[in-house]
Amino acid sequence: EPEVTQTPSHQVTQMGQEVILRCVPISNHLYFYWYRQILGQKVEFLVSFYNNEISEKSEIFDDQFSVERPDGSNFTLKIRSTKLEDSAMYFCASKREGDTQYFGPGTRLTVL
Amino acid sequence: EDQVTQSPEALRLQEGESSSLNCSYTVSGLRGLFWYRQDPGKGPEFLFTLYSAGEEKEKERLKATLTKKESFLHITAPKPEDSATYLCAVQLGNTDKLIFGTGTRLQVFP
């Protein structure tokens, strides 16, 4: 059964550094998403991406964040200058048509 | 403001002891309600989508139901492997994003 994959599983970085989180969505999916979950809190929507452009973003997704689909298979989330409060699990999700989003296993980002 | 509230926060059950988890929502223009299962350190795993009041979906020991204001996830004769956090999320008519509740952490003891 096809799955969303994410790398790395755990990323440790220093405050102020740039990080790129990578996702490979399910191959025939067209819509891509990033969510995050701070420890002990709700899963929160960050951004949705379709047809090579952002279709919606949350207040969290400020100028420090960007997304890209650099080739036909990868979908990335970049944080330009990490802050302590960016420490969280970051989940990528994808869907084809319809409403069901399928989530990856997540990347745990720790900012020191 | 659109809100999703899940209760209880945590639930401990003996193996075989059936129970229900609640997800209540206050949103404008519900398009769909989703149930996911999340194991520690993992991503949400899709279980069910419900679209209209009165709708029911079943999978093994789980059954999800929907009314105009809430959804229930009924667990019949649970087993220890059903232990996980169960997340409810809603999707509104004008957006693709999911709005999640805080989840119910279920522990089933043998």
Side-chain angles (χ1 to χ4, degrees), chain B residues 36-74:
Chain B
Y36 286 87
R37 168 190 171 130
Q38 187 176 30
D39 292 301
K42 303 286 179 65
E45 177 188 344
F46 171 71
L47 293 173
F48 304 109
T49 309
L50 301 165
Y51 291 105
S52 54
E55 189 175 0
E56 297 184 352
K57 294 270 180 79
E58 275 189 79
K59 179 181 178 180
E60 296 180 355
R61 294 177 293 282
L62 301 176
K63 182 166 100 172
T65 62
L66 181 65
T67 72
K68 287 187 177 178
K69 293 189 176 181
E70 58 191 350
S71 176
F72 291 94
L73 184 66
H74 307 278

PDB file of all heavy atoms in Angstrom, chain B residues 36-74:
ATOM      1  N   TYR B  36      -8.950   9.860  12.919  1.00  0.00           N
ATOM      2  CA  TYR B  36      -7.620   9.313  12.697  1.00  0.00           C
ATOM      3  C   TYR B  36      -7.168   8.633  13.982  1.00  0.00           C
ATOM      4  O   TYR B  36      -7.549   9.030  15.084  1.00  0.00           O
ATOM      5  CB  TYR B  36      -6.604  10.414  12.362  1.00  0.00           C
ATOM      6  CG  TYR B  36      -6.711  11.005  10.978  1.00  0.00           C
ATOM      7  CD1 TYR B  36      -7.575  12.070  10.719  1.00  0.00           C
ATOM      8  CD2 TYR B  36      -5.921  10.528   9.936  1.00  0.00           C
ATOM      9  CE1 TYR B  36      -7.655  12.628   9.446  1.00  0.00           C
ATOM     10  CE2 TYR B  36      -5.992  11.090   8.663  1.00  0.00           C
ATOM     11  CZ  TYR B  36      -6.868  12.139   8.434  1.00  0.00           C
ATOM     12  OH  TYR B  36      -6.938  12.693   7.172  1.00  0.00           O
ATOM     13  N   ARG B  37      -6.276   7.675  13.816  1.00  0.00           N
ATOM     14  CA  ARG B  37      -5.607   7.050  14.956  1.00  0.00           C
ATOM     15  C   ARG B  37      -4.143   7.491  14.922  1.00  0.00           C
ATOM     16  O   ARG B  37      -3.528   7.521  13.854  1.00  0.00           O
ATOM     17  CB  ARG B  37      -5.701   5.527  14.809  1.00  0.00           C
ATOM     18  CG  ARG B  37      -4.811   4.765  15.755  1.00  0.00           C
ATOM     19  CD  ARG B  37      -4.748   3.293  15.421  1.00  0.00           C
ATOM     20  NE  ARG B  37      -3.711   2.659  16.228  1.00  0.00           N
ATOM     21  CZ  ARG B  37      -3.901   1.557  16.934  1.00  0.00           C
ATOM     22  NH1 ARG B  37      -5.062   0.931  16.935  1.00  0.00           N
ATOM     23  NH2 ARG B  37      -2.905   1.057  17.651  1.00  0.00           N
ATOM     24  N   GLN B  38      -3.589   7.822  16.077  1.00  0.00           N
ATOM     25  CA  GLN B  38      -2.185   8.218  16.134  1.00  0.00           C
ATOM     26  C   GLN B  38      -1.469   7.421  17.218  1.00  0.00           C
ATOM     27  O   GLN B  38      -1.828   7.492  18.392  1.00  0.00           O
ATOM     28  CB  GLN B  38      -2.037   9.717  16.397  1.00  0.00           C
ATOM     29  CG  GLN B  38      -0.595  10.197  16.306  1.00  0.00           C
ATOM     30  CD  GLN B  38      -0.443  11.699  16.481  1.00  0.00           C
ATOM     31  OE1 GLN B  38      -1.231  12.337  17.180  1.00  0.00           O
ATOM     32  NE2 GLN B  38       0.562  12.283  15.843  1.00  0.00           N
ATOM     33  N   ASP B  39      -0.454   6.672  16.815  1.00  0.00           N
ATOM     34  CA  ASP B  39       0.399   5.966  17.766  1.00  0.00           C
ATOM     35  C   ASP B  39       1.534   6.894  18.177  1.00  0.00           C
ATOM     36  O   ASP B  39       1.904   7.817  17.439  1.00  0.00           O
ATOM     37  CB  ASP B  39       0.934   4.680  17.142  1.00  0.00           C
ATOM     38  CG  ASP B  39      -0.177   3.660  16.927  1.00  0.00           C
ATOM     39  OD1 ASP B  39      -0.809   3.288  17.924  1.00  0.00           O
ATOM     40  OD2 ASP B  39      -0.412   3.259  15.777  1.00  0.00           O
ATOM     41  N   PRO B  40       2.126   6.674  19.362  1.00  0.00           N
ATOM     42  CA  PRO B  40       3.180   7.580  19.861  1.00  0.00           C
ATOM     43  C   PRO B  40       4.306   7.756  18.863  1.00  0.00           C
ATOM     44  O   PRO B  40       4.844   6.772  18.330  1.00  0.00           O
ATOM     45  CB  PRO B  40       3.661   6.878  21.137  1.00  0.00           C
ATOM     46  CG  PRO B  40       2.498   6.077  21.594  1.00  0.00           C
ATOM     47  CD  PRO B  40       1.807   5.606  20.339  1.00  0.00           C
ATOM     48  N   GLY B  41       4.654   8.999  18.577  1.00  0.00           N
ATOM     49  CA  GLY B  41       5.764   9.289  17.682  1.00  0.00           C
ATOM     50  C   GLY B  41       5.483   9.036  16.213  1.00  0.00           C
ATOM     51  O   GLY B  41       6.402   9.059  15.386  1.00  0.00           O
ATOM     52  N   LYS B  42       4.227   8.795  15.866  1.00  0.00           N
ATOM     53  CA  LYS B  42       3.863   8.491  14.486  1.00  0.00           C
ATOM     54  C   LYS B  42       2.874   9.512  13.934  1.00  0.00           C
ATOM     55  O   LYS B  42       2.329  10.326  14.669  1.00  0.00           O
ATOM     56  CB  LYS B  42       3.228   7.089  14.407  1.00  0.00           C
ATOM     57  CG  LYS B  42       4.092   5.980  14.943  1.00  0.00           C
ATOM     58  CD  LYS B  42       5.225   5.666  13.992  1.00  0.00           C
ATOM     59  CE  LYS B  42       6.135   4.571  14.505  1.00  0.00           C
ATOM     60  NZ  LYS B  42       5.461   3.281  14.613  1.00  0.00           N
ATOM     61  N   GLY B  43       2.619   9.425  12.639  1.00  0.00           N
ATOM     62  CA  GLY B  43       1.654  10.308  12.018  1.00  0.00           C
ATOM     63  C   GLY B  43       0.232   9.788  12.142  1.00  0.00           C
ATOM     64  O   GLY B  43       0.022   8.598  12.393  1.00  0.00           O
ATOM     65  N   PRO B  44      -0.752  10.668  11.980  1.00  0.00           N
ATOM     66  CA  PRO B  44      -2.149  10.223  12.027  1.00  0.00           C
ATOM     67  C   PRO B  44      -2.457   9.211  10.922  1.00  0.00           C
ATOM     68  O   PRO B  44      -2.071   9.408   9.771  1.00  0.00           O
ATOM     69  CB  PRO B  44      -2.931  11.520  11.809  1.00  0.00           C
ATOM     70  CG  PRO B  44      -2.006  12.612  12.242  1.00  0.00           C
ATOM     71  CD  PRO B  44      -0.647  12.143  11.853  1.00  0.00           C
ATOM     72  N   GLU B  45      -3.166   8.155  11.308  1.00  0.00           N
ATOM     73  CA  GLU B  45      -3.558   7.099  10.364  1.00  0.00           C
ATOM     74  C   GLU B  45      -5.055   7.198  10.144  1.00  0.00           C
ATOM     75  O   GLU B  45      -5.846   7.130  11.091  1.00  0.00           O
ATOM     76  CB  GLU B  45      -3.194   5.734  10.947  1.00  0.00           C
ATOM     77  CG  GLU B  45      -3.626   4.554  10.097  1.00  0.00           C
ATOM     78  CD  GLU B  45      -3.409   3.233  10.832  1.00  0.00           C
ATOM     79  OE1 GLU B  45      -2.662   3.213  11.827  1.00  0.00           O
ATOM     80  OE2 GLU B  45      -4.024   2.226  10.431  1.00  0.00           O
ATOM     81  N   PHE B  46      -5.462   7.342   8.884  1.00  0.00           N
ATOM     82  CA  PHE B  46      -6.859   7.558   8.557  1.00  0.00           C
ATOM     83  C   PHE B  46      -7.731   6.365   8.948  1.00  0.00           C
ATOM     84  O   PHE B  46      -7.381   5.205   8.714  1.00  0.00           O
ATOM     85  CB  PHE B  46      -7.002   7.820   7.055  1.00  0.00           C
ATOM     86  CG  PHE B  46      -8.421   7.851   6.573  1.00  0.00           C
ATOM     87  CD1 PHE B  46      -9.253   8.908   6.907  1.00  0.00           C
ATOM     88  CD2 PHE B  46      -8.935   6.819   5.811  1.00  0.00           C
ATOM     89  CE1 PHE B  46     -10.566   8.941   6.480  1.00  0.00           C
ATOM     90  CE2 PHE B  46     -10.241   6.842   5.359  1.00  0.00           C
ATOM     91  CZ  PHE B  46     -11.064   7.894   5.700  1.00  0.00           C
ATOM     92  N   LEU B  47      -8.890   6.687   9.549  1.00  0.00           N
ATOM     93  CA  LEU B  47      -9.870   5.655   9.891  1.00  0.00           C
ATOM     94  C   LEU B  47     -11.166   5.838   9.093  1.00  0.00           C
ATOM     95  O   LEU B  47     -11.578   4.941   8.370  1.00  0.00           O
ATOM     96  CB  LEU B  47     -10.191   5.702  11.394  1.00  0.00           C
ATOM     97  CG  LEU B  47      -9.066   5.330  12.356  1.00  0.00           C
ATOM     98  CD1 LEU B  47      -9.497   5.592  13.799  1.00  0.00           C
ATOM     99  CD2 LEU B  47      -8.654   3.875  12.165  1.00  0.00           C
ATOM    100  N   PHE B  48     -11.835   6.985   9.281  1.00  0.00           N
ATOM    101  CA  PHE B  48     -13.169   7.196   8.700  1.00  0.00           C
ATOM    102  C   PHE B  48     -13.349   8.644   8.261  1.00  0.00           C
ATOM    103  O   PHE B  48     -12.763   9.543   8.840  1.00  0.00           O
ATOM    104  CB  PHE B  48     -14.278   6.927   9.732  1.00  0.00           C
ATOM    105  CG  PHE B  48     -14.262   5.576  10.364  1.00  0.00           C
ATOM    106  CD1 PHE B  48     -13.904   5.423  11.696  1.00  0.00           C
ATOM    107  CD2 PHE B  48     -14.616   4.444   9.641  1.00  0.00           C
ATOM    108  CE1 PHE B  48     -13.906   4.190  12.296  1.00  0.00           C
ATOM    109  CE2 PHE B  48     -14.613   3.198  10.231  1.00  0.00           C
ATOM    110  CZ  PHE B  48     -14.264   3.070  11.565  1.00  0.00           C
ATOM    111  N   THR B  49     -14.244   8.806   7.270  1.00  0.00           N
ATOM    112  CA  THR B  49     -14.781  10.115   6.931  1.00  0.00           C
ATOM    113  C   THR B  49     -16.302  10.035   7.004  1.00  0.00           C
ATOM    114  O   THR B  49     -16.908   9.081   6.496  1.00  0.00           O
ATOM    115  CB  THR B  49     -14.409  10.537   5.498  1.00  0.00           C
ATOM    116  OG1 THR B  49     -13.017  10.382   5.306  1.00  0.00           O
ATOM    117  CG2 THR B  49     -14.802  11.985   5.265  1.00  0.00           C
ATOM    118  N   LEU B  50     -16.912  11.051   7.615  1.00  0.00           N
ATOM    119  CA  LEU B  50     -18.376  11.153   7.700  1.00  0.00           C
ATOM    120  C   LEU B  50     -18.786  12.498   7.132  1.00  0.00           C
ATOM    121  O   LEU B  50     -18.128  13.517   7.390  1.00  0.00           O
ATOM    122  CB  LEU B  50     -18.834  11.039   9.157  1.00  0.00           C
ATOM    123  CG  LEU B  50     -18.451   9.745   9.883  1.00  0.00           C
ATOM    124  CD1 LEU B  50     -18.631   9.892  11.375  1.00  0.00           C
ATOM    125  CD2 LEU B  50     -19.280   8.576   9.354  1.00  0.00           C
ATOM    126  N   TYR B  51     -19.872  12.498   6.365  1.00  0.00           N
ATOM    127  CA  TYR B  51     -20.255  13.738   5.687  1.00  0.00           C
ATOM    128  C   TYR B  51     -21.583  14.319   6.142  1.00  0.00           C
ATOM    129  O   TYR B  51     -21.775  15.539   6.081  1.00  0.00           O
ATOM    130  CB  TYR B  51     -20.309  13.511   4.177  1.00  0.00           C
ATOM    131  CG  TYR B  51     -18.961  13.283   3.549  1.00  0.00           C
ATOM    132  CD1 TYR B  51     -18.562  12.010   3.152  1.00  0.00           C
ATOM    133  CD2 TYR B  51     -18.071  14.339   3.367  1.00  0.00           C
ATOM    134  CE1 TYR B  51     -17.309  11.803   2.582  1.00  0.00           C
ATOM    135  CE2 TYR B  51     -16.824  14.142   2.799  1.00  0.00           C
ATOM    136  CZ  TYR B  51     -16.454  12.866   2.405  1.00  0.00           C
ATOM    137  OH  TYR B  51     -15.224  12.672   1.839  1.00  0.00           O
ATOM    138  N   SER B  52     -22.518  13.460   6.576  1.00  0.00           N
ATOM    139  CA  SER B  52     -23.830  14.007   6.888  1.00  0.00           C
ATOM    140  C   SER B  52     -24.394  13.344   8.136  1.00  0.00           C
ATOM    141  O   SER B  52     -24.072  12.187   8.452  1.00  0.00           O
ATOM    142  CB  SER B  52     -24.775  13.825   5.703  1.00  0.00           C
ATOM    143  OG  SER B  52     -24.823  12.483   5.311  1.00  0.00           O
ATOM    144  N   ALA B  53     -25.269  14.086   8.826  1.00  0.00           N
ATOM    145  CA  ALA B  53     -25.891  13.595  10.052  1.00  0.00           C
ATOM    146  C   ALA B  53     -26.617  12.291   9.775  1.00  0.00           C
ATOM    147  O   ALA B  53     -27.338  12.169   8.768  1.00  0.00           O
ATOM    148  CB  ALA B  53     -26.841  14.642  10.612  1.00  0.00           C
ATOM    149  N   GLY B  54     -26.410  11.329  10.675  1.00  0.00           N
ATOM    150  CA  GLY B  54     -27.035  10.026  10.517  1.00  0.00           C
ATOM    151  C   GLY B  54     -26.125   8.996   9.866  1.00  0.00           C
ATOM    152  O   GLY B  54     -26.406   7.795   9.896  1.00  0.00           O
ATOM    153  N   GLU B  55     -25.039   9.469   9.301  1.00  0.00           N
ATOM    154  CA  GLU B  55     -24.121   8.558   8.623  1.00  0.00           C
ATOM    155  C   GLU B  55     -23.333   7.732   9.648  1.00  0.00           C
ATOM    156  O   GLU B  55     -22.984   8.228  10.719  1.00  0.00           O
ATOM    157  CB  GLU B  55     -23.168   9.351   7.735  1.00  0.00           C
ATOM    158  CG  GLU B  55     -22.318   8.491   6.817  1.00  0.00           C
ATOM    159  CD  GLU B  55     -21.477   9.323   5.856  1.00  0.00           C
ATOM    160  OE1 GLU B  55     -21.565  10.571   5.906  1.00  0.00           O
ATOM    161  OE2 GLU B  55     -20.735   8.728   5.063  1.00  0.00           O
ATOM    162  N   GLU B  56     -23.043   6.479   9.312  1.00  0.00           N
ATOM    163  CA  GLU B  56     -22.262   5.598  10.167  1.00  0.00           C
ATOM    164  C   GLU B  56     -21.235   4.873   9.292  1.00  0.00           C
ATOM    165  O   GLU B  56     -21.521   4.536   8.141  1.00  0.00           O
ATOM    166  CB  GLU B  56     -23.149   4.549  10.856  1.00  0.00           C
ATOM    167  CG  GLU B  56     -24.185   5.137  11.796  1.00  0.00           C
ATOM    168  CD  GLU B  56     -24.979   4.060  12.517  1.00  0.00           C
ATOM    169  OE1 GLU B  56     -24.843   2.861  12.185  1.00  0.00           O
ATOM    170  OE2 GLU B  56     -25.762   4.429  13.422  1.00  0.00           O
ATOM    171  N   LYS B  57     -20.046   4.631   9.857  1.00  0.00           N
ATOM    172  CA  LYS B  57     -19.019   3.838   9.177  1.00  0.00           C
ATOM    173  C   LYS B  57     -18.456   2.859  10.189  1.00  0.00           C
ATOM    174  O   LYS B  57     -18.319   3.186  11.368  1.00  0.00           O
ATOM    175  CB  LYS B  57     -17.888   4.749   8.670  1.00  0.00           C
ATOM    176  CG  LYS B  57     -18.308   5.722   7.572  1.00  0.00           C
ATOM    177  CD  LYS B  57     -18.138   5.140   6.221  1.00  0.00           C
ATOM    178  CE  LYS B  57     -18.563   6.098   5.127  1.00  0.00           C
ATOM    179  NZ  LYS B  57     -17.544   7.123   4.859  1.00  0.00           N
ATOM    180  N   GLU B  58     -18.096   1.654   9.716  1.00  0.00           N
ATOM    181  CA  GLU B  58     -17.560   0.626  10.611  1.00  0.00           C
ATOM    182  C   GLU B  58     -16.287   0.028  10.045  1.00  0.00           C
ATOM    183  O   GLU B  58     -16.133  -0.097   8.810  1.00  0.00           O
ATOM    184  CB  GLU B  58     -18.572  -0.516  10.777  1.00  0.00           C
ATOM    185  CG  GLU B  58     -19.598  -0.292  11.837  1.00  0.00           C
ATOM    186  CD  GLU B  58     -20.433  -1.529  12.102  1.00  0.00           C
ATOM    187  OE1 GLU B  58     -19.960  -2.438  12.797  1.00  0.00           O
ATOM    188  OE2 GLU B  58     -21.575  -1.563  11.606  1.00  0.00           O
ATOM    189  N   LYS B  59     -15.397  -0.325  10.974  1.00  0.00           N
ATOM    190  CA  LYS B  59     -14.174  -1.026  10.585  1.00  0.00           C
ATOM    191  C   LYS B  59     -13.719  -1.839  11.779  1.00  0.00           C
ATOM    192  O   LYS B  59     -13.331  -1.284  12.808  1.00  0.00           O
ATOM    193  CB  LYS B  59     -13.100  -0.020  10.185  1.00  0.00           C
ATOM    194  CG  LYS B  59     -11.774  -0.615   9.771  1.00  0.00           C
ATOM    195  CD  LYS B  59     -10.790   0.492   9.431  1.00  0.00           C
ATOM    196  CE  LYS B  59      -9.439  -0.066   9.069  1.00  0.00           C
ATOM    197  NZ  LYS B  59      -8.476   1.001   8.732  1.00  0.00           N
ATOM    198  N   GLU B  60     -13.808  -3.137  11.647  1.00  0.00           N
ATOM    199  CA  GLU B  60     -13.430  -4.053  12.719  1.00  0.00           C
ATOM    200  C   GLU B  60     -14.185  -3.685  14.001  1.00  0.00           C
ATOM    201  O   GLU B  60     -15.402  -3.697  14.029  1.00  0.00           O
ATOM    202  CB  GLU B  60     -11.918  -4.060  12.909  1.00  0.00           C
ATOM    203  CG  GLU B  60     -11.172  -4.580  11.682  1.00  0.00           C
ATOM    204  CD  GLU B  60      -9.672  -4.597  11.846  1.00  0.00           C
ATOM    205  OE1 GLU B  60      -9.162  -4.121  12.882  1.00  0.00           O
ATOM    206  OE2 GLU B  60      -8.989  -5.086  10.944  1.00  0.00           O
ATOM    207  N   ARG B  61     -13.480  -3.324  15.062  1.00  0.00           N
ATOM    208  CA  ARG B  61     -14.140  -3.060  16.341  1.00  0.00           C
ATOM    209  C   ARG B  61     -14.590  -1.600  16.481  1.00  0.00           C
ATOM    210  O   ARG B  61     -15.102  -1.202  17.527  1.00  0.00           O
ATOM    211  CB  ARG B  61     -13.166  -3.409  17.479  1.00  0.00           C
ATOM    212  CG  ARG B  61     -12.854  -4.901  17.554  1.00  0.00           C
ATOM    213  CD  ARG B  61     -11.847  -5.189  18.646  1.00  0.00           C
ATOM    214  NE  ARG B  61     -10.537  -4.639  18.342  1.00  0.00           N
ATOM    215  CZ  ARG B  61      -9.683  -5.201  17.501  1.00  0.00           C
ATOM    216  NH1 ARG B  61      -9.990  -6.314  16.886  1.00  0.00           N
ATOM    217  NH2 ARG B  61      -8.486  -4.645  17.280  1.00  0.00           N
ATOM    218  N   LEU B  62     -14.378  -0.803  15.469  1.00  0.00           N
ATOM    219  CA  LEU B  62     -14.676   0.621  15.522  1.00  0.00           C
ATOM    220  C   LEU B  62     -15.901   0.970  14.689  1.00  0.00           C
ATOM    221  O   LEU B  62     -16.075   0.458  13.581  1.00  0.00           O
ATOM    222  CB  LEU B  62     -13.489   1.441  15.011  1.00  0.00           C
ATOM    223  CG  LEU B  62     -12.167   1.271  15.744  1.00  0.00           C
ATOM    224  CD1 LEU B  62     -11.082   2.081  15.035  1.00  0.00           C
ATOM    225  CD2 LEU B  62     -12.292   1.703  17.189  1.00  0.00           C
ATOM    226  N   LYS B  63     -16.721   1.856  15.242  1.00  0.00           N
ATOM    227  CA  LYS B  63     -17.856   2.397  14.492  1.00  0.00           C
ATOM    228  C   LYS B  63     -17.954   3.883  14.777  1.00  0.00           C
ATOM    229  O   LYS B  63     -17.967   4.300  15.936  1.00  0.00           O
ATOM    230  CB  LYS B  63     -19.167   1.723  14.883  1.00  0.00           C
ATOM    231  CG  LYS B  63     -20.356   2.230  14.075  1.00  0.00           C
ATOM    232  CD  LYS B  63     -21.574   1.336  14.233  1.00  0.00           C
ATOM    233  CE  LYS B  63     -22.565   1.874  15.202  1.00  0.00           C
ATOM    234  NZ  LYS B  63     -23.827   1.089  15.210  1.00  0.00           N
ATOM    235  N   ALA B  64     -18.020   4.676  13.703  1.00  0.00           N
ATOM    236  CA  ALA B  64     -18.126   6.129  13.832  1.00  0.00           C
ATOM    237  C   ALA B  64     -19.514   6.576  13.406  1.00  0.00           C
ATOM    238  O   ALA B  64     -20.055   6.082  12.413  1.00  0.00           O
ATOM    239  CB  ALA B  64     -17.075   6.816  12.979  1.00  0.00           C
ATOM    240  N   THR B  65     -20.083   7.501  14.172  1.00  0.00           N
ATOM    241  CA  THR B  65     -21.400   8.056  13.869  1.00  0.00           C
ATOM    242  C   THR B  65     -21.329   9.569  13.900  1.00  0.00           C
ATOM    243  O   THR B  65     -20.438  10.150  14.520  1.00  0.00           O
ATOM    244  CB  THR B  65     -22.449   7.567  14.871  1.00  0.00           C
ATOM    245  OG1 THR B  65     -22.082   8.018  16.190  1.00  0.00           O
ATOM    246  CG2 THR B  65     -22.545   6.056  14.869  1.00  0.00           C
ATOM    247  N   LEU B  66     -22.289  10.206  13.221  1.00  0.00           N
ATOM    248  CA  LEU B  66     -22.269  11.667  13.117  1.00  0.00           C
ATOM    249  C   LEU B  66     -23.670  12.229  13.328  1.00  0.00           C
ATOM    250  O   LEU B  66     -24.644  11.715  12.772  1.00  0.00           O
ATOM    251  CB  LEU B  66     -21.758  12.092  11.735  1.00  0.00           C
ATOM    252  CG  LEU B  66     -21.657  13.593  11.463  1.00  0.00           C
ATOM    253  CD1 LEU B  66     -20.607  14.237  12.367  1.00  0.00           C
ATOM    254  CD2 LEU B  66     -21.328  13.854   9.990  1.00  0.00           C
ATOM    255  N   THR B  67     -23.749  13.291  14.163  1.00  0.00           N
ATOM    256  CA  THR B  67     -24.975  14.076  14.289  1.00  0.00           C
ATOM    257  C   THR B  67     -24.644  15.496  13.838  1.00  0.00           C
ATOM    258  O   THR B  67     -23.520  15.766  13.400  1.00  0.00           O
ATOM    259  CB  THR B  67     -25.500  14.106  15.729  1.00  0.00           C
ATOM    260  OG1 THR B  67     -24.633  14.935  16.524  1.00  0.00           O
ATOM    261  CG2 THR B  67     -25.550  12.713  16.317  1.00  0.00           C
ATOM    262  N   LYS B  68     -25.578  16.409  14.012  1.00  0.00           N
ATOM    263  CA  LYS B  68     -25.334  17.786  13.549  1.00  0.00           C
ATOM    264  C   LYS B  68     -24.329  18.520  14.416  1.00  0.00           C
ATOM    265  O   LYS B  68     -23.794  19.553  14.008  1.00  0.00           O
ATOM    266  CB  LYS B  68     -26.649  18.553  13.503  1.00  0.00           C
ATOM    267  CG  LYS B  68     -27.534  18.118  12.346  1.00  0.00           C
ATOM    268  CD  LYS B  68     -28.747  18.992  12.195  1.00  0.00           C
ATOM    269  CE  LYS B  68     -29.556  18.561  10.982  1.00  0.00           C
ATOM    270  NZ  LYS B  68     -30.787  19.352  10.818  1.00  0.00           N
ATOM    271  N   LYS B  69     -24.072  18.010  15.624  1.00  0.00           N
ATOM    272  CA  LYS B  69     -23.171  18.742  16.516  1.00  0.00           C
ATOM    273  C   LYS B  69     -22.014  17.907  17.034  1.00  0.00           C
ATOM    274  O   LYS B  69     -21.107  18.448  17.660  1.00  0.00           O
ATOM    275  CB  LYS B  69     -23.953  19.287  17.708  1.00  0.00           C
ATOM    276  CG  LYS B  69     -24.952  20.353  17.344  1.00  0.00           C
ATOM    277  CD  LYS B  69     -25.540  20.999  18.571  1.00  0.00           C
ATOM    278  CE  LYS B  69     -26.465  22.145  18.174  1.00  0.00           C
ATOM    279  NZ  LYS B  69     -27.034  22.826  19.318  1.00  0.00           N
ATOM    280  N   GLU B  70     -22.062  16.581  16.822  1.00  0.00           N
ATOM    281  CA  GLU B  70     -20.998  15.764  17.378  1.00  0.00           C
ATOM    282  C   GLU B  70     -20.862  14.443  16.632  1.00  0.00           C
ATOM    283  O   GLU B  70     -21.739  14.049  15.856  1.00  0.00           O
ATOM    284  CB  GLU B  70     -21.238  15.506  18.865  1.00  0.00           C
ATOM    285  CG  GLU B  70     -22.542  14.824  19.201  1.00  0.00           C
ATOM    286  CD  GLU B  70     -22.847  14.833  20.691  1.00  0.00           C
ATOM    287  OE1 GLU B  70     -21.977  15.194  21.515  1.00  0.00           O
ATOM    288  OE2 GLU B  70     -23.979  14.470  21.042  1.00  0.00           O
ATOM    289  N   SER B  71     -19.737  13.805  16.918  1.00  0.00           N
ATOM    290  CA  SER B  71     -19.484  12.476  16.368  1.00  0.00           C
ATOM    291  C   SER B  71     -19.020  11.586  17.510  1.00  0.00           C
ATOM    292  O   SER B  71     -18.398  12.060  18.462  1.00  0.00           O
ATOM    293  CB  SER B  71     -18.412  12.556  15.281  1.00  0.00           C
ATOM    294  OG  SER B  71     -18.091  11.266  14.798  1.00  0.00           O
ATOM    295  N   PHE B  72     -19.355  10.312  17.385  1.00  0.00           N
ATOM    296  CA  PHE B  72     -18.908   9.339  18.362  1.00  0.00           C
ATOM    297  C   PHE B  72     -18.083   8.270  17.656  1.00  0.00           C
ATOM    298  O   PHE B  72     -18.399   7.867  16.532  1.00  0.00           O
ATOM    299  CB  PHE B  72     -20.107   8.677  19.059  1.00  0.00           C
ATOM    300  CG  PHE B  72     -20.855   9.605  19.961  1.00  0.00           C
ATOM    301  CD1 PHE B  72     -21.963  10.303  19.490  1.00  0.00           C
ATOM    302  CD2 PHE B  72     -20.465   9.796  21.272  1.00  0.00           C
ATOM    303  CE1 PHE B  72     -22.665  11.173  20.316  1.00  0.00           C
ATOM    304  CE2 PHE B  72     -21.156  10.667  22.102  1.00  0.00           C
ATOM    305  CZ  PHE B  72     -22.258  11.346  21.619  1.00  0.00           C
ATOM    306  N   LEU B  73     -17.053   7.826  18.357  1.00  0.00           N
ATOM    307  CA  LEU B  73     -16.296   6.663  17.908  1.00  0.00           C
ATOM    308  C   LEU B  73     -16.529   5.578  18.953  1.00  0.00           C
ATOM    309  O   LEU B  73     -16.077   5.680  20.093  1.00  0.00           O
ATOM    310  CB  LEU B  73     -14.812   6.999  17.779  1.00  0.00           C
ATOM    311  CG  LEU B  73     -13.933   5.893  17.217  1.00  0.00           C
ATOM    312  CD1 LEU B  73     -14.297   5.605  15.756  1.00  0.00           C
ATOM    313  CD2 LEU B  73     -12.457   6.257  17.313  1.00  0.00           C
ATOM    314  N   HIS B  74     -17.293   4.571  18.545  1.00  0.00           N
ATOM    315  CA  HIS B  74     -17.632   3.486  19.453  1.00  0.00           C
ATOM    316  C   HIS B  74     -16.609   2.371  19.278  1.00  0.00           C
ATOM    317  O   HIS B  74     -16.301   1.975  18.140  1.00  0.00           O
ATOM    318  CB  HIS B  74     -19.032   2.948  19.136  1.00  0.00           C
ATOM    319  CG  HIS B  74     -20.099   4.001  19.099  1.00  0.00           C
ATOM    320  ND1 HIS B  74     -20.710   4.492  20.231  1.00  0.00           N
ATOM    321  CD2 HIS B  74     -20.652   4.669  18.051  1.00  0.00           C
ATOM    322  CE1 HIS B  74     -21.594   5.415  19.894  1.00  0.00           C
ATOM    323  NE2 HIS B  74     -21.590   5.544  18.583  1.00  0.00           N
TER     324      HIS B  74
END
